[in-house]
């Protein structure tokens, strides 16, 4: 056990970081090394909240191949070896991008290994570049490899976890993760994202396909949505899904660009909102006896990023999940989601028809 600056006794929480997160640097780009510099300075100010700070290895080629075809991996490597270049108008590789991306995906894999080996109960892989926009054979949206997707596949291949729930609360839809698991019933993918907004995917009507139908849950929200909307979707959609499906692991694609200060979107989530969503997930994971891991995605206001992570860390590191507060009413969007998902998840429809806000 360790003690956080807040005086909370904590079970082991692992924080994954590596200096190569600073190596991928595109001039005048919002996804910049200063994000990590500011975040780590804030963590150091709080003595890392008692976390074990770990430098992860690179992801292996075999682990990447569970998600990406060889030609995609080779393309990113060769482009970096040639000094870099534009992949699309806002996704740019530099000479160090390939190594940084290998280490960022490696952080997500190392997080899963720590959580599922029993050496940590919770954790945060706080590395860059992010990953949730990377499709199997396409880098886009500042992302090169699907970090969370690679980690979820690792959970099954190396640890025998049959069911993984991925919650993406980044303000932009995680189109890459959505595409990777679209027909896969072993991963339940839930995305809360501003709509309409880049990349233009993730309508509520997209529910997966084939054997994975019902295992893609898109929860688009209008611009201006804040804590009440996000918390209601977590408490009244995500948590009932967890209770019904009983995953063996929960991973969060943790972007912080739904914050009111973020320059790339218009949602209004606060530091407290992120903390409350994390607390809700901790309580639900405790009931199921499963670990919880966060993987950094977006967040382009340094103040919002550092403040939000610092606000949620006490809930993440606490030995026991925070006590439940007053809760939030069932938002209209949560009720509609319950009705939409009823053919696959009937318990949500029953919950969503009451206490609408």
């Amino acid at each position: 056990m360790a003690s956080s600056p807040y005086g909370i006794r904590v079970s082991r929480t692992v924080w994954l970081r590596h200096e190569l997160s600073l190596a991928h640097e595109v001039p005048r780009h919002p996804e910049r090394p200063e994000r990590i510099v500011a975040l780590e300075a804030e963590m150091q100010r709080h003595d890392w909240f008692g976390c074990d700070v770990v430098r992860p290895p690179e992801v292996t080629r075999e682990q990447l191949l569970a998600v990406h075809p060889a030609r995609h991996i080779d393309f990113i490597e060769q482009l970096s070896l040639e000094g870099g270049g534009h992949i699309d108008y806002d996704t740019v590789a530099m000479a160090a991008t390939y190594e940084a991306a290998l280490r960022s995906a490696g952080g997500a894999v190392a997080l899963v290994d720590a959580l599922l080996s029993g050496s940590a109960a919770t954790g945060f892989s706080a590395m860059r570049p992010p990953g949730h926009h990377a499709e199997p054979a396409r880098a886009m949206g500042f992302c090169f490899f699907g970090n969370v997707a690679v980690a979820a596949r690792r959970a099954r291949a190396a640890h025998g976890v049959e069911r993984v729930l991925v919650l993406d609360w980044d303000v932009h839809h995680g189109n890459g993760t959505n595409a990777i698991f679209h027909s896969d019933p072993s991963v339940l993918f839930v995305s809360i994202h501003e709509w309409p907004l880049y990349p233009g995917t993730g309508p509520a009507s997209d529910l997966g396909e084939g054997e994975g139908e019902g295992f893609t849950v898109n929860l688009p929200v209008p611009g201006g949505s804040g804590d009440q909307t996000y918390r209601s979707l977590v408490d009244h959609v995500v948590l009932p899904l967890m209770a019904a499906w009983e995953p063996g692991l929960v991973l969060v694609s943790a972007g912080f660009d739904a914050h009111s200060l973020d320059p790339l979107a218009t949602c209004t989530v606060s530091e407290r909102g992120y903390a409350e969503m994390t607390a809700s997930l901790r309580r639900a994971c405790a009931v199921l006896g499963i670990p919880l891991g966060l993987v950094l995605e977006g967040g382009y206001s340094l103040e919002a990023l550092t403040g939000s992570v610092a606000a949620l860390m006490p809930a993440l590191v606490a030995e026991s999940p925070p006590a439940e507060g007053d809760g939030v009413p069932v938002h209209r969007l949560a009720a509609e989601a319950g009705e939409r998902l009823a053919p696959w998840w009937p318990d949500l429809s029953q919950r969503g028809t009451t206490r609408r806000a």
Side-chain angles (χ1 to χ4, degrees), residues 165-174 178 188-195 201-207 216-223 225 229-241 267 277 331-341 345 348:
L165 187 143
V166 175
L167 168 62
D168 189 329
W169 70 37
D170 189 284
V171 80
H172 303 96
H173 178 243
N178 191 111
L188 177 53
F189 174 65
V190 186
S191 178
I192 307 173
H193 51 275
E194 184 174 333
W195 175 278
T201 51
S205 59
D206 182 3
L207 298 163
T216 294
V217 178
N218 280 301
L219 302 172
V221 302
S225 298
T229 305
Y230 271 72
R231 288 184 59 199
S232 182
L233 290 171
V234 169
D235 284 6
H236 301 297
V237 180
V238 179
L239 268 56
L241 284 171
C267 283
M277 289 192 290
H331 190 278
R332 172 183 58 83
L333 293 176
E336 291 174 357
E339 294 164 2
R340 185 168 64 248
L341 295 167
W345 308 100
L348 269 71

Side-chain angles (χ1 to χ4, degrees), residues 141-341:
F142 317 162
C143 302
F144 300 91
F145 299 131
N147 302 332
V148 162
V150 173
R153 286 270 162 86
R154 170 70 173 180
R156 184 176 181 89
H159 301 280
V161 174
E162 296 182 355
R163 297 182 298 278
V164 178
L165 187 143
V166 175
L167 168 62
D168 189 329
W169 70 37
D170 189 284
V171 80
H172 303 96
H173 178 243
N175 60 291
T177 316
N178 191 111
I180 291 161
F181 298 117
H182 207 238
S183 60
D184 187 344
S186 71
V187 174
L188 177 53
F189 174 65
V190 186
S191 178
I192 307 173
H193 51 275
E194 184 174 333
W195 175 278
L197 191 66
Y198 179 90
T201 51
S205 59
D206 182 3
L207 298 163
E209 63 182 346
E211 292 184 357
E213 190 176 29
F215 291 88
T216 294
V217 178
N218 280 301
L219 302 172
V221 302
S225 298
D227 291 356
Q228 291 293 103
T229 305
Y230 271 72
R231 288 184 59 199
S232 182
L233 290 171
V234 169
D235 284 6
H236 301 297
V237 180
V238 179
L239 268 56
L241 284 171
M242 291 174 61
W245 197 48
E246 298 185 353
L249 171 68
V250 173
L251 296 173
V252 179
S253 269
F256 297 92
D257 39 8
H259 192 283
S260 59
L261 295 180
D262 196 89
L264 300 188
T266 67
C267 283
T268 58
V269 177
S270 70
E271 289 90 341
R272 181 179 177 184
Y274 286 112
E276 293 290 350
M277 289 192 290
T278 304
S280 289
L281 293 172
R282 277 295 319 272
R283 286 190 290 270
C285 286
V287 170
L288 296 172
I290 62 172
L292 170 65
L294 277 60
V295 178
L296 183 64
E297 300 287 359
Y300 307 102
S301 160
L302 301 186
E303 179 182 349
L305 173 63
T306 58
S308 297
V309 174
L312 69 78
M313 286 304 296
L316 191 66
V317 305
E319 181 179 1
S320 299
E324 187 170 4
D326 295 335
V328 289
V330 179
H331 190 278
R332 172 183 58 83
L333 293 176
E336 291 174 357
E339 294 164 2
R340 185 168 64 248
L341 295 167

Side-chain angles (χ1 to χ4, degrees), residues 66-84:
V67 169
H68 300 287
R71 67 183 185 278
H72 174 72
I73 302 168
D74 295 342
F75 169 71
I76 302 301
E77 179 182 22
Q78 187 61 36
L79 188 60
S80 296
L81 286 172
E82 293 172 356

Side-chain angles (χ1 to χ4, degrees), residues 3-80:
S3 179
S4 82
Y6 291 82
I8 304 169
R9 297 294 291 175
V10 300
S11 56
R12 184 174 182 226
T13 299
V14 64
W15 180 278
L16 287 304
R17 51 90 53 203
H18 198 281
E19 55 273 14
L20 276 173
S21 287
L22 308 180
H24 167 68
E25 182 172 6
V26 180
R28 299 176 299 281
H29 197 283
E31 205 293 286
R32 59 203 193 277
E34 287 81 1
R35 299 175 64 223
I36 301 299
V37 173
L39 183 54
E40 292 191 350
E42 181 69 13
M43 290 295 293
Q44 288 173 337
R45 193 168 73 84
H46 294 286
D47 196 23
W48 300 92
F49 290 90
C51 294
D52 288 344
V53 181
V54 175
R55 294 170 76 250
E58 291 182 349
V59 68
T60 68
R61 185 175 180 87
E62 180 184 6
Q63 291 161 359
L64 283 180
L65 286 170
V67 169
H68 300 287
R71 67 183 185 278
H72 174 72
I73 302 168
D74 295 342
F75 169 71
I76 302 301
E77 179 182 22
Q78 187 61 36
L79 188 60
S80 296

